[in-house]
Amino acid sequence: MAHTALTPVFVGLRTGLHALFVALAGLVVVRAIAVPTAASAAVVALAILLIATYAAGGFVARIARGRGRPPALAWLAALTVEWIALLWLTPEAAYLVFPMFFLFLHLLGRWWGSGAIVIATVVAICALGIHGGWSVGGVVGPIVGAGVALLIGLGYQALAREAQQREALVQELLATRGQLAATEHESGVLAERARLAREIHDTLAQGLSSIQMLLHAAERADPERPGVEHIRLARETAADNLADARRFISELTPPQLDDNGLGGALRRLASGPWLTQGLQVTVRVSDGAPLPMHLQTGLLRIAQGAVANIIQHANATAATIALEVQDRRLRFSIVDDGTGFDPGRVPDARGGRSDSFGLQAARERVGQLGGVLTVDSSPGSGTTLAVELALENAS
């Protein structure tokens, strides 16, 4: 079992079970020696054999990991036969039925183990009646022990299942955290690339373009003046450097936005793998002022996250991505015909719900762009996610 917060509990229970079994078997040996009978030698030998068989359980468990349950069931059958033989010789062996209950429940499962516990209880009651006569204590004692063992054993199994579920949840959370970290890193890299492209375009490229134009004007103003060849060489050098700057800008541009800008990237998104999953995505992009690269990148990431959420949660058949730019104001919306939800009941990402993280991340991204994100949805009526911002406020 993988180490969890409940591992010390399991180790303590198992250690206590082992100690109880050995102590009860040792009690049988001590009783046989202290009160000798004709069967004392056989009782001592059989009790020692029982302890040795029980101790071999660890070796059998290692074999069972590679060969399945048969070795463990064979070991349990041998231990049960030895216990019944010892019980035939001495009534003190009836006490061993209590740790045997847990073995039955652990190795045979809930239902078969419970049946084995009932049978073992009947055997212990009959043995006590045959050896020492029938009494209320001889009947009630094993029955109470069986009930206690069932409760403890079932509680142990419930704890084990909970530990496995928690371990699976922790692994899932760790994997999700790694994916989120990778996504955030990628987003940061893309944002930095877009920022550098914007800075190069707004400063270096513009400056080189202005220098080129001024030198060209100077060259045309007096083409026969002395030193005009130096002006021509400076103009050509500025033109070459401007071409290099534009190449740097192109290389820094996110790959999805290389061709046809945001509209082309959204159309490629619409023709992605969503079609094979039953979602038809329509893109409507209006002609308007060219958008800054960082704004195009942010809107593309929002669209990618929204479409992924529609596939995972909305059970939608159609979605529409629309981009409108009018009077220096931008509206970007993603509408689907899915099952919808109650936006008021979606917790903040700090609440730990993985399905609300994408929405929170979109809000934060839109806030960084200087806009506002609104979500209009209700159960059974689809969802509309809209981004509105003024282009002069887009940071």
Side-chain angles (χ1 to χ4, degrees), residues 157-174:
Q157 291 181 350
L159 283 175
R161 286 193 298 270
E162 182 179 353
Q164 292 175 352
Q165 293 171 357
R166 287 187 178 183
E167 181 66 19
L169 178 60
V170 168
Q171 294 301 323
E172 182 179 351
L173 290 175
L174 290 175

Side-chain angles (χ1 to χ4, degrees), residues 67-244:
R67 300 183 182 179
R69 296 183 61 190
L73 296 179
W75 171 79
L76 180 62
L79 196 69
T80 302
V81 170
E82 293 173 5
W83 169 69
I84 293 175
L86 187 63
L87 186 60
W88 180 262
L89 296 176
T90 176
E92 281 75 19
Y95 300 123
L96 286 165
V97 73
F98 189 72
M100 294 290 293
F101 288 155
F102 295 99
L103 294 178
F104 292 142
L105 201 58
H106 177 66
L107 295 178
L108 299 179
R110 182 175 182 177
W111 300 111
W112 288 104
S114 298
I117 288 175
V118 172
I119 295 173
T121 303
V122 173
V123 171
I125 292 173
C126 293
L128 290 174
I130 293 173
H131 281 290
W134 300 94
S135 65
V136 175
V139 175
V140 174
I143 293 177
V144 171
V148 172
L150 272 173
L151 292 176
I152 295 176
L154 294 177
Y156 175 91
Q157 291 181 350
L159 283 175
R161 286 193 298 270
E162 182 179 353
Q164 292 175 352
Q165 293 171 357
R166 287 187 178 183
E167 181 66 19
L169 178 60
V170 168
Q171 294 301 323
E172 182 179 351
L173 290 175
L174 290 175
T176 302
R177 186 177 66 178
Q179 293 173 358
L180 291 176
T183 301
E184 288 298 315
H185 175 73
E186 180 185 1
S187 298
V189 171
L190 291 175
E192 183 64 15
R193 285 162 60 107
R195 188 190 68 81
L196 289 175
R198 185 171 68 253
E199 293 295 333
I200 293 175
H201 176 271
D202 294 342
T203 57
L204 181 61
Q206 295 291 350
L208 290 173
S209 179
S210 300
I211 291 172
Q212 183 186 14
M213 293 176 59
L214 291 172
L215 291 174
H216 188 63
E219 184 182 359
R220 286 187 302 176
D222 188 2
E224 304 299 330
R225 65 184 295 175
V228 70
E229 65 278 4
H230 299 298
I231 296 177
R232 184 178 300 108
L233 178 60
R235 178 180 58 80
E236 293 174 351
T237 302
D240 292 339
N241 289 338
L242 179 60
D244 289 338

Side-chain angles (χ1 to χ4, degrees), residues 49-63:
L49 177 62
L50 186 68
I51 294 174
T53 303
Y54 184 83
F59 176 74
V60 173
R62 287 193 293 271
I63 296 177

Side-chain angles (χ1 to χ4, degrees), residues 2-76:
H3 183 81
T4 67
L6 294 176
T7 298
V9 177
F10 297 141
V11 172
L13 289 174
R14 291 178 179 178
T15 302
L17 177 63
H18 300 331
L20 178 62
F21 190 93
V22 173
L24 292 176
L27 177 63
V28 173
V29 172
V30 171
R31 177 68 176 178
I33 295 175
V35 184
T37 63
S40 292
V43 168
V44 172
L46 196 53
I48 294 175
L49 177 62
L50 186 68
I51 294 174
T53 303
Y54 184 83
F59 176 74
V60 173
R62 287 193 293 271
I63 296 177
R65 292 192 186 101
R67 300 183 182 179
R69 296 183 61 190
L73 296 179
W75 171 79
L76 180 62

